[in-house]
Amino acid sequence: METKKKRLVMRTAVLSVIISALIYTLYLNFFKEKAAAVSIGDEAPNFILKDMNGVEFQLSNYKGRGVFLNFWGTYCGPCEKEMPYMNNVFEEYQADGVEILAINIGEAELRVNSFIDKYGLNFPVLYDNGGTVTSLYSFIPLPTTFLIDENGKIVDIISGALSEEDIRESMDKIKPVS
């Protein structure tokens, strides 16, 4: 009898520990507020991604320039709407020290290339095949744009589609001071 009682106590203790761990895990995942991976004022996490032609782009190479960092997808209606606006202002603002880097969230290359061709995009479109940069910046929804100043600091995070006027105002915020 005594060994049965010890086994029952031991099983109850183990079961209690498992249930406690499960409750704690559920609490962390569902009830505790999650901190954003990056926030306004943070240094923008560096990354290296390739464009559709295999050319590597590294964010840290743009120190001294403003960066309009846009995350998008071909299936995203608002993304499709704002891409031509971004293209319209790209060369003008590039001459003023502001770059556009558009990161596709890892769709099929054929689909992305077709999108680029359809809209005649001139700015770099980077491919986040493994989703590592998307995870690093941790955002919802598409499109989301991070405005990065010449010192590499995030000055604004914009969720949703932007008009051409909005894009111009955003780029003015990150123009390097001469």
Side-chain angles (χ1 to χ4, degrees):
M1 275 289 179
E2 181 114 356
T3 55
K4 282 186 173 183
K5 200 174 206 181
K6 284 182 182 178
R7 264 192 269 161
L8 179 63
V9 168
M10 187 59 106
R11 286 180 182 166
T12 303
V14 169
L15 187 58
S16 296
V17 169
I18 291 171
I19 290 172
S20 297
L22 180 63
I23 290 169
Y24 182 70
T25 301
L26 289 172
Y27 167 75
L28 286 179
N29 285 322
F30 295 111
F31 300 109
K32 193 167 183 180
E33 196 171 308
K34 294 180 184 176
V38 293
S39 302
I40 294 171
D42 290 349
E43 183 159 335
N46 191 32
F47 60 82
I48 299 173
L49 288 176
K50 292 182 181 181
D51 71 3
M52 296 297 125
N53 298 315
V55 177
E56 282 191 351
F57 289 78
Q58 183 169 350
L59 182 63
S60 61
N61 290 342
Y62 292 93
K63 290 266 173 134
R65 300 182 70 75
V67 178
F68 185 93
L69 183 64
N70 180 267
F71 289 87
W72 69 284
T74 61
Y75 58 85
C76 165
C79 301
E80 189 170 4
K81 185 176 179 184
E82 77 179 358
M83 285 289 179
Y85 300 145
M86 291 165 53
N87 206 46
N88 290 345
V89 302
F90 170 61
E91 289 179 9
E92 173 188 341
Y93 279 90
Q94 188 180 39
D96 290 338
V98 179
E99 297 289 338
I100 294 176
L101 297 177
I103 299 179
N104 179 271
I105 57 164
E107 296 176 272
E109 287 186 45
L110 179 61
R111 180 174 232 165
V112 175
N113 281 325
S114 294
F115 188 95
I116 292 168
D117 292 343
K118 178 179 177 181
Y119 292 101
L121 302 179
N122 296 322
F123 52 82
V125 175
L126 312 180
Y127 191 62
D128 190 15
N129 189 21
T132 53
V133 176
T134 303
S135 295
L136 190 62
Y137 279 79
S138 184
F139 58 87
I140 298 174
L142 288 179
T144 294
T145 302
F146 292 81
L147 302 180
I148 303 168
D149 70 11
E150 72 268 20
N151 300 311
K153 299 283 185 200
I154 297 171
V155 297
D156 204 356
I157 302 170
I158 306 163
S159 296
L162 299 170
S163 67
E164 188 166 333
E165 184 179 328
D166 293 334
I167 292 169
R168 287 180 182 281
E169 288 174 10
S170 296
M171 291 188 160
D172 285 337
K173 284 183 185 179
I174 55 174
K175 260 193 219 179
V177 179
S178 299

